[in-house]
Amino acid sequence: MNSNQTFIPKTFQRKIILYNMLIIIAIASAVSYYSFTSYKEDVIASETRNSQSTIRLLSDRLNLAYREMVNLLLNCSERQSQFFLGSAVSSAQSMEVYASNVLRDYCAISGYSKYIYRISLYKKDQFFLQAGSQPGIQQDPELIMSAPWFKERLTLTASQYTLILEDNPFPLGTTNTPSFFPLVRPIQYRPGLKPEDAWVFLAVNPLLYLDTLKTLEENSFLYIAAADNTLVASLTEGEFQTDRLIEQLNSMEEHSGFLRTFFNHQSCIVTYQKDPISGILLFEILPVSRMPIDRQVILETIAIIFFYCIVIGLALSFLISRQLGRPILHLIDHLGLVAQGDFTSDPSIESNDEIGTIGRQINQMSSQINTLMETRIQGEKEKKDLEIKMLQAQINPHFLYNTLDSIKWIATMQRNSGIVQMVTSLSSLLKNMAKGFNEKVTLAQELDFLRDYVVIEKVRYLELFDLQIQVDEPGLYDAKIIKLTLQPLVENAIFNGIEPSGRPGLIEIHAWAEENVLKVSVTDNGIGMAEEQVQRILTDTSRITKSTMSGIGLPNVDRRFKLVYGEDYGLTIESRLDSFTRIIVAFPLEYI
């Protein structure tokens, strides 16, 4: 006995209880899962909204700082009066000192002087001013202009100042700023000069972004990246590998939003905001596993749901099983009697409900089952006999007319012994055809009948073909074969093979035994058939349209054999176009 047989109850009543409990448990599980999922999704949605608000606030701060830096760059490149028109300036050296002080004041007024790594004003062979959090040297202009990013940045307009982190070209000394965001703009109030001969350079320290992130909780997974997918700042560096994520976010068309993804082997929500001008991307990763989901509340809810569902399920199961179990037991007892051959009706299994309807149907079935079985058996037998008779009885009257016409032609034109031979063959044919429908004869008798048929057809077709017969073993002449087996096959060889070819032909009959199976082949050297025609010929039930003796097509011949002997026997066809056609018929090897 296997585990399934020991686990599943044998009685219907216990099965009802078991299945009802399984359904109740399934419903309880589904409700619990839905409650947990809904609660979890609400928490995720709330955390996502909070993260988006935080991201938006930080992005506004960073965009404000960016605009201040750009405005400082524009003021320095466009407003000469702010630097060199002071009323207290009396010499060129004093003017340069005054302009440097104004530049430092600009940095201080912006509120971001701490993050302005260096700001420089340069005019070839005239002046070079610098300010910022890091001091410079006289060689700084050459270092700036030799940087690989200088010429590209110099050609950008104010709306194209995308922040990209670049390597620091200055000697670092004591500073710890190996890279910064460079902004370069030609001086506009010096017309006639090449852009590289007069320019303003502003370097933004990326510490600005890290300090902005530090205003939030330290355990937040917040990140800032530049437009070139470079990570600029993060609170938890190394916690997540964000390279591919940054590329994905920068490639998205929407400038803000969130996405849910499977990141670092855990489900995460990623909220993001990116500035279309500066290219700064700010995003936060929210692992779902670290969200404040109160699992205790969920567990208590699931426990309550399960308790009430099981109590209600048990009560309903016992009530239903009592109502359904009793009449079903009566049905089982009656079906047992029917299985033993007792088809007596039992009124006790009939009632006004659905089970009573089944009982009435069982009573009707049991009262009619014998009649139905006998009727079906008798009908199948009659159907088989009738089909065989119909197949055997399909004799075309045109054959008789043509034969008589041939006799008339011989009698009129030749007056020779062929008249006697042809009339004798016709008489023999009619005599054999007048016998039983499903009679079995010996192979020798069938061959004699075939020879009579061939005598008539050879006269009709002026010796258009010859017949050769080969039987491998003499004992096979006594093997039983259905009468009129070979005649339709030879008829098919004459009319569909040799006659259309227009040349003399040969029909070969070959009989042999193979593993208690008698096989007889009919081969002609006529026009043959294409492979497609061979494949569909046995399924084509159309009859031969010429004036043949039987008018029976090959599909009907094959069907006749299968009705008598079974589906394992019948016809097989081999053919090659313009070469030959061979039809092989297989019978069980039987003897008289």
Side-chain angles (χ1 to χ4, degrees):
M1 182 178 296
N2 57 37
S3 58
N4 291 334
Q5 291 176 332
T6 57
F7 176 75
I8 299 177
K10 294 182 178 180
T11 64
F12 179 78
Q13 185 175 7
R14 292 180 181 177
K15 285 184 179 180
I16 290 179
I17 296 174
L18 174 62
Y19 295 152
N20 279 345
M21 290 306 302
L22 292 176
I23 293 173
I24 294 298
I25 292 173
I27 293 174
S29 300
V31 172
S32 301
Y33 177 77
Y34 175 78
S35 300
F36 173 76
T37 303
S38 299
Y39 172 75
K40 182 178 178 181
E41 291 300 323
D42 289 342
V43 172
I44 292 175
S46 176
E47 291 295 312
T48 302
R49 288 192 296 269
N50 293 338
S51 176
Q52 287 181 300
S53 299
T54 302
I55 292 291
R56 193 177 301 112
L57 177 62
L58 290 177
S59 180
D60 291 342
R61 290 183 190 176
L62 297 177
N63 288 339
L64 177 61
Y66 168 77
R67 288 193 296 271
E68 289 292 337
M69 300 293 182
V70 173
N71 288 336
L72 177 58
L73 185 70
L74 295 177
N75 285 334
C76 292
S77 65
E78 297 175 359
R79 303 177 65 179
Q80 177 183 12
S81 60
Q82 298 295 324
F83 293 96
F84 301 106
L85 297 179
S87 59
V89 176
S90 58
S91 65
Q93 184 177 7
S94 298
M95 289 177 61
E96 189 169 322
V97 172
Y98 173 77
S100 297
N101 290 333
V102 171
L103 190 60
R104 282 193 292 271
D105 290 342
Y106 269 4
C107 293
I109 293 172
S110 69
Y112 298 97
S113 59
K114 176 182 177 181
Y115 305 110
I116 297 176
Y117 179 80
R118 190 168 298 173
I119 182 169
S120 304
L121 273 74
Y122 171 79
K123 182 178 181 302
K124 186 177 180 181
D125 301 329
Q126 290 191 16
F127 64 84
F128 177 63
L129 307 177
Q130 289 202 94
S133 62
Q134 297 296 328
I137 59 176
Q138 290 299 322
Q139 291 79 18
D140 284 354
E142 289 78 8
L143 295 174
I144 293 173
M145 288 188 290
S146 63
W149 40 261
F150 175 77
K151 291 184 177 180
E152 179 184 357
R153 297 291 192 280
L154 194 62
T155 61
L156 300 179
T157 63
S159 61
Q160 297 175 326
Y161 287 151
T162 301
L163 297 180
I164 298 178
L165 207 60
E166 301 288 357
D167 292 335
N168 191 339
F170 307 115
L172 294 181
T174 58
T175 183
N176 190 23
T177 308
S179 57
F180 51 66
F181 295 109
L183 297 175
V184 185
R185 185 172 178 82
I187 292 178
Q188 304 295 320
Y189 52 79
R190 297 286 182 177
L193 294 176
K194 296 179 180 180
E196 60 267 22
D197 292 338
W199 42 262
V200 180
F201 165 72
L202 175 64
V204 182
N205 195 325
L207 188 62
L208 166 66
Y209 299 96
L210 180 60
D211 289 346
T212 303
L213 292 183
K214 287 182 178 179
T215 60
L216 303 176
E217 297 181 5
E218 293 184 357
N219 59 348
S220 300
F221 298 105
L222 281 160
Y223 301 85
I224 298 177
D228 62 345
N229 301 327
T230 303
L231 184 63
V232 177
S234 67
L235 291 178
T236 53
E237 187 174 356
E239 183 74 19
F240 292 99
Q241 295 296 326
T242 58
D243 296 343
R244 292 185 179 179
L245 180 60
I246 292 173
E247 292 180 6
Q248 180 183 0
L249 295 176
N250 272 329
S251 64
M252 297 181 70
E253 295 182 359
E254 298 83 1
H255 297 307
S256 63
F258 71 94
L259 57 91
R260 190 164 186 171
T261 183
F262 197 73
F263 192 63
N264 278 26
H265 307 291
Q266 56 182 317
S267 179
C268 297
I269 302 294
V270 179
T271 59
Y272 68 94
Q273 182 98 15
K274 55 183 176 181
D275 183 53
I277 299 178
S278 67
I280 291 297
L281 169 67
L282 180 62
F283 65 96
E284 181 177 12
I285 300 175
L286 301 172
V288 175
S289 60
R290 301 189 187 186
M291 291 183 180
I293 299 176
D294 193 347
R295 300 184 182 275
Q296 183 65 30
V297 174
I298 296 297
L299 293 176
E300 291 176 358
T301 303
I302 292 175
I304 293 173
I305 291 174
F306 262 89
F307 175 76
Y308 282 104
C309 286
I310 290 175
V311 170
I312 295 172
L314 282 173
L316 292 176
S317 297
F318 280 110
L319 178 62
I320 294 173
S321 64
R322 289 187 62 184
Q323 294 294 326
L324 297 179
R326 192 171 302 169
I328 289 177
L329 289 176
H330 286 300
L331 288 177
I332 293 173
D333 293 338
H334 182 70
L335 287 174
L337 295 175
V338 172
Q340 296 174 3
D342 185 0
F343 302 110
T344 304
S345 297
D346 184 3
S348 65
I349 64 174
E350 300 181 9
S351 59
N352 295 325
D353 55 15
E354 288 80 358
I355 296 179
T357 301
I358 296 175
R360 283 192 292 273
Q361 296 297 325
I362 291 175
N363 282 335
Q364 294 177 9
M365 177 192 68
S366 60
S367 64
Q368 297 176 3
I369 192 168
N370 277 335
T371 303
L372 292 174
M373 291 175 61
E374 292 177 358
T375 302
R376 181 173 180 179
I377 293 172
Q378 184 64 26
E380 289 294 330
K381 184 176 181 299
E382 292 177 357
K383 179 182 177 181
K384 181 177 179 180
D385 291 342
L386 180 60
E387 189 169 2
I388 294 173
K389 291 177 181 179
M390 290 178 64
L391 288 171
Q392 288 185 325
Q394 295 177 11
I395 296 182
N396 195 327
H398 290 287
F399 176 79
L400 183 57
Y401 301 153
N402 290 334
T403 303
L404 293 175
D405 185 65
S406 298
I407 294 173
K408 178 182 177 181
W409 179 78
I410 293 173
T412 303
M413 302 297 298
Q414 295 186 2
R415 295 184 182 181
N416 58 29
S417 59
I419 297 175
V420 176
Q421 184 181 15
M422 192 169 186
V423 171
T424 302
S425 297
L426 177 59
S427 300
S428 179
L429 279 174
L430 295 176
K431 180 179 180 181
N432 281 282
M433 289 167 56
K435 296 182 179 180
F437 289 110
N438 198 26
E439 181 182 357
K440 291 183 180 181
V441 297
T442 64
L443 178 60
Q445 292 172 324
E446 178 69 8
L447 292 175
D448 289 340
F449 176 79
L450 182 63
R451 291 187 184 96
D452 291 334
Y453 169 75
V454 169
V455 166
I456 297 173
E457 293 297 345
K458 288 181 71 173
V459 172
R460 179 182 177 185
Y461 287 98
L462 301 176
E463 302 292 336
L464 181 63
F465 64 92
D466 290 323
L467 178 68
Q468 290 184 0
I469 299 175
Q470 176 186 349
V471 179
D472 285 357
E473 301 175 15
L476 294 179
Y477 283 107
D478 295 327
K480 290 195 296 183
I481 186 172
I482 298 178
K483 186 174 66 175
L484 291 176
T485 292
L486 301 180
Q487 180 273 329
L489 307 184
V490 174
E491 182 179 70
N492 178 78
I494 297 172
F495 297 142
N496 295 323
I498 295 175
E499 181 185 6
S501 70
R503 61 177 182 268
L506 175 65
I507 300 175
E508 298 176 287
I509 309 295
H510 181 204
W512 73 97
E514 186 177 300
E515 296 181 357
N516 293 324
V517 175
L518 174 62
K519 292 187 176 181
V520 182
S521 67
V522 178
T523 305
D524 69 82
N525 58 352
I527 61 174
M529 291 181 287
E531 183 178 354
E532 298 80 11
Q533 186 178 1
V534 172
Q535 292 176 354
R536 67 172 180 267
I537 191 168
L538 292 181
T539 60
D540 183 6
T541 57
S542 62
R543 297 180 181 273
I544 299 173
T545 58
K546 297 185 179 182
S547 300
T548 63
M549 172 184 172
S550 64
I552 302 175
L554 292 182
N556 290 332
V557 175
D558 184 61
R559 179 61 180 158
R560 176 191 179 195
F561 297 152
K562 284 179 168 53
L563 285 173
V564 175
Y565 294 113
E567 295 295 327
D568 294 334
Y569 300 93
L571 301 183
T572 57
I573 301 176
E574 302 172 1
S575 186
R576 184 182 304 159
L577 194 62
D578 297 326
S579 181
F580 74 94
T581 298
R582 179 178 295 110
I583 303 175
I584 302 174
V585 58
F587 305 94
L589 186 57
E590 302 174 336
Y591 291 95
I592 299 297

